[in-house]
Amino acid sequence: MKSRGSIVSFFLLIVLLSACATDPLLESVVRKLNREAEQVGDPFRYRATPGGGVEKYAVGPQTQVPERWNFSFDSRSWQLGHQQATTSQAIREYVLSGESVENWSELVTSFYAIKDISPKISFERFREDFLRRCPTTRFSFIEEFAGGVIFEWQHEGCGDQPSQHEIRRHSRGRMGLLSLSFVEKTNQLAREKRDAWLAILRSATVRLDV
């Protein structure tokens, strides 16, 4: 199991920047290309682009990405598995101790994009794009509050992706949109775990110093 932080390959849970959307099929393609590039020592990696395409880029030094959320984890041991930033977006991914972003059972993702879009509209675009690619996905809008929304989605497999159940929050920052999410490779989160992570997402606050 290898961490992608050392090879700076961008794990895009949010494939379409304009919609901040997750595309499991495109994500799978990008993962495969980056794995193959790493295996042969290719100095290039691949990432998704707005519109659902894939672009090739040269690998550079790892970028230190500040965490833009104040939040806590559950009682288990978590570690930063990957971080990446460009001029317009940044991502940090956390995995359970002993796992990696290439081989995880549960994943926490913190994402930031310089984008003028409301959290509610970003959710709607996210859902629309996701359902086009994975029409059996079930979405539930949990709540809307000042400056943010919380929702969840789940499916029993999409393409070569396993079952997943995610809870996600979108909120406004000073200059863009932020998201914080927890996902497990399961078709249904256990009630206690769902309640715990819903409480974590609700209590999270946006940092104003980064």
Side-chain angles (χ1 to χ4, degrees):
M1 297 186 292
K2 296 183 179 180
S3 168
R4 287 174 299 169
S6 61
I7 63 173
V8 198
S9 57
F10 198 90
F11 179 91
L12 278 169
L13 281 180
I14 302 180
V15 173
L16 300 178
L17 180 58
S18 62
C20 292
T22 301
D23 179 353
L25 300 180
L26 186 56
E27 173 191 327
S28 177
V29 171
V30 171
R31 281 174 176 270
K32 183 175 185 296
L33 289 171
N34 283 325
R35 281 198 301 269
E36 293 174 349
E38 182 183 8
Q39 289 169 359
V40 300
D42 193 330
F44 297 93
R45 295 295 182 268
Y46 300 85
R47 59 190 169 205
T49 61
V54 176
E55 69 176 0
K56 188 176 183 179
Y57 68 101
V59 176
Q62 180 174 341
T63 301
Q64 295 300 314
V65 180
E67 177 55 68
R68 287 177 164 82
W69 289 96
N70 288 312
F71 73 99
S72 60
F73 292 94
D74 58 23
S75 60
R76 295 171 297 172
S77 177
W78 292 82
Q79 62 189 23
L80 180 64
H82 174 248
Q83 58 182 329
Q84 173 98 24
T86 68
T87 57
S88 61
Q89 56 189 7
I91 191 170
R92 287 170 63 92
E93 295 174 297
Y94 302 90
V95 295
L96 290 168
S97 180
E99 297 187 353
S100 74
V101 290
E102 290 290 355
N103 189 0
W104 54 270
S105 60
E106 300 172 54
L107 185 73
V108 174
T109 302
S110 168
F111 183 86
Y112 170 73
I114 299 176
K115 188 66 180 176
D116 186 17
I117 185 173
S118 74
K120 183 66 176 294
I121 292 176
S122 73
F123 157 71
E124 292 170 351
R125 292 182 180 177
F126 181 106
R127 180 179 57 187
E128 290 170 2
D129 184 75
F130 208 125
L131 289 174
R132 279 197 298 269
R133 301 168 193 277
C134 297
T136 60
T137 304
R138 301 185 301 280
F139 275 84
S140 298
F141 187 82
I142 298 175
E143 62 188 56
E144 181 175 12
F145 48 91
V149 298
I150 297 178
F151 60 93
E152 64 186 329
W153 60 263
Q154 58 197 110
H155 62 61
E156 297 180 0
C158 178
D160 63 354
Q161 297 297 303
S163 301
Q164 295 182 51
H165 187 172
E166 179 181 88
I167 307 173
R168 180 185 287 249
R169 173 177 168 180
H170 285 183
S171 288
R172 290 289 301 178
R174 289 186 301 167
M175 298 177 61
L177 184 77
L178 297 96
S179 73
L180 184 63
S181 63
F182 168 78
V183 62
E184 182 179 354
K185 290 178 179 176
T186 179
N187 58 8
Q188 181 71 52
L189 286 172
R191 186 185 193 109
E192 296 79 8
K193 186 177 292 183
R194 181 183 179 277
D195 289 346
W197 278 99
L198 187 54
I200 290 171
L201 295 186
R202 281 174 172 151
S203 63
T205 58
V206 176
R207 289 181 57 182
L208 301 179
D209 58 337
V210 293

